[in-house]
Amino acid sequence: MSDTLPGLDQLRELPLPAAVPYWPQTWGWAVLAVLLLAGGIWAAIAYARRHRRNRYRRQALKELDGLAREAGANPLAARGLPALLKRTALAAQPAGQQTRVAALGGKAWLAYLDQDAGQQPFPDDSARLLATLAYSPDAAVQSLDPLVLARLLAASRHWVEHHHVAP
């Protein structure tokens, strides 16, 4: 045996490879990251604008649910429906067109509601029912058929959920 064998004290550690960097090595990945970030910011801004723009719709649906609940026990509670529909339609309009919508009434008002929803959600006798709710004495409102009133409330809910929002 040879006396020239190295001892344990003469051994050296192997060098480790360089750490893998977290930053991408090519410009393509950096550009993709910037595009994804910009797309995410744009989507968040669009969602926030749409959410803010539909605030009036959420409030109208909440009020309509309360009207429907109260109208089940007392038909006089449905008297607020015509005003709620008008306020909702006015809130959806840009500032210059609010006067045009505010002046509508009767068949023209119902035609606007049907046209604005993109289909005809209201029953044929809705103009008469809305006029009854708005202007008739309490006895006439209390004599309304509960099923007809429920159908009008359902059509109003459909309109509030699906009407066109002006840009």
Side-chain angles (χ1 to χ4, degrees):
M1 297 242 186
S2 168
D3 290 335
T4 61
L5 288 177
L8 287 177
D9 59 339
Q10 295 177 347
L11 292 178
R12 293 184 199 171
E13 294 243 357
L14 293 174
L16 294 175
V20 177
Y22 289 111
W23 191 253
Q25 296 297 310
T26 62
W27 282 101
W29 287 110
V31 169
L32 180 64
V34 167
L35 288 175
L36 287 175
L37 182 64
I41 290 171
W42 178 81
I45 290 171
Y47 173 78
R49 287 182 69 211
R50 185 175 55 247
H51 186 74
R52 187 179 65 239
R53 195 173 52 227
N54 283 325
R55 181 174 151 223
Y56 78 94
R57 190 185 309 257
R58 288 189 305 275
Q59 290 174 341
L61 286 171
K62 185 177 179 181
E63 191 173 336
L64 186 61
D65 287 341
L67 278 176
R69 237 185 344 268
E70 292 175 23
N74 180 12
L76 291 177
R79 281 193 178 273
L81 181 63
L84 174 64
L85 290 175
K86 187 69 87 162
R87 285 193 329 260
T88 305
L90 289 173
Q93 299 304 313
Q97 295 194 5
Q98 288 179 340
T99 56
R100 180 183 63 87
V101 174
L104 294 175
K107 295 280 187 189
W109 168 240
L110 194 61
Y112 168 79
L113 292 176
D114 286 338
Q115 171 253 334
D116 200 33
Q119 57 183 354
Q120 187 176 3
F122 287 94
D124 291 334
D125 60 343
S126 295
R128 181 188 60 80
L129 289 171
L130 288 172
T132 300
L133 288 174
Y135 304 115
S136 294
D138 290 347
V141 173
Q142 288 175 332
S143 68
L144 288 175
D145 183 16
L147 293 176
V148 171
L149 191 56
R151 192 169 64 234
L152 179 64
L153 288 167
S156 299
R157 180 173 187 74
H158 180 270
W159 180 80
V160 170
E161 289 173 344
H162 297 100
H163 73 273
H164 173 70
V165 177

